[in-house]
Amino acid sequence: MFAVASATTGPSRHKAVEELAMNTSAPPEKYIRKEGLGGSELPYFDIPILDLSLLNSSTPEAEEELRKLRLGFSSCGYFQAINHGIDTSFLDEVHDVTRKFFKLPMEEKKKYARDADDIDGYGNDTVYSENQTLDWNDRLWLNVKPDNKRKMKVWPENPKNFRQILLDLTAKLENVNEIVFKAMAKSLGLEEDCFLKQCGENPITIARFNLYPPCPTPDLVLAAKAHGDASAMTYLLQDKEVEGLQVLKDDKWYKVRIVPDAIVVNVGEQVEIMTNGIFKGPVHRVATNRERERMTIAVFFTPDPTSEVKPAEGLINEKNPKLYKSIIDYTGNYFQLFQQGKKPIDALKV
């Protein structure tokens, strides 16, 4: 999740995709997927829908929700959370400040531009090599926790309530994340805090606000290339109307439905390590849309980079040997490996 500068040429920035979308009839060559994306209409994947309000009880309904959590995370790495305790009116505010920020004049947004060798701030893909295929999106990437990781110069002051909404959102999702982590452990017959302990004393929270402008060639360009998340857990507020998220299952791509007011929850690769591969960090991507823009908000929860992440001992036995090596600071070089088309978690397999 953290960009690391190239040792030779160093990373670079380029023009906002929003500007390209307004001023070109065809994307530049560096955005075109050489392999193509196929033109057939994809089916939907039926991701389990979980009622989080039931997870803390000791009722038959709670057992059913735990079963669905385990099914979702072990089969595709996803579930959609409803009754998560975050008011619809607040989610509307989050979408509203996101839209208002991306609708600011370009010169205003550029006040919050990331530095060329950093990831925090407004921008798009860091360019590491001439052969890199770029994604059709602009984003605002902000470290939220620990507090000393915040780079306030790139935290928007316009809209005026942006900063407070961000802090409120991450605080609310922190509560949701604790519920999910404890439920994960319970569903696997482990002590409920065993995964939380691996996150350490200073876990990282990062928010990413995404703008996916319309693209004239959606069959050739991706809004976000196929990837797994380097986080432990990811929470996504989907666009209310425009689909785009796609998940890979058994070497086939599927679309993810928009469920009103639901939060899309997916396993990050560090939880795949913690669960010894029982829960899968899904490979996913984002499709472009020929006519409509799309905006989403993702929040990533990641272990303290000084904490050791490893398969839980209670999941390892003669029948189920250890599948992954232990690791400290999994995210350290994630982005460069990702941009090179490599899957970092594969390097940790025993």
Side-chain angles (χ1 to χ4, degrees), residues 66 70 183-190 195 274-275 278-279 314-315:
L66 285 175
R70 179 163 179 165
M184 276 198 312
K186 191 174 181 180
S187 76
L188 295 172
L190 302 172
F195 297 133
M274 293 179 193
T275 62
I278 295 174
F279 292 164
L315 300 176

Side-chain angles (χ1 to χ4, degrees), residues 99-139:
R99 181 184 59 79
K100 286 179 177 176
F101 172 77
F102 284 121
K103 292 302 181 184
L104 290 173
M106 184 58 65
E107 288 308 310
E108 176 72 13
K109 290 197 286 281
K110 286 181 177 178
K111 292 179 182 178
Y112 309 106
R114 67 173 178 84
D115 293 333
D117 60 350
D118 200 357
I119 196 167
D120 275 59
Y122 171 69
N124 39 40
D125 278 359
T126 299
V127 180
Y128 292 106
S129 74
E130 293 181 3
N131 299 323
Q132 182 180 329
T133 305
L134 303 181
D135 292 338
W136 194 257
N137 73 68
D138 297 320
R139 64 247 190 187

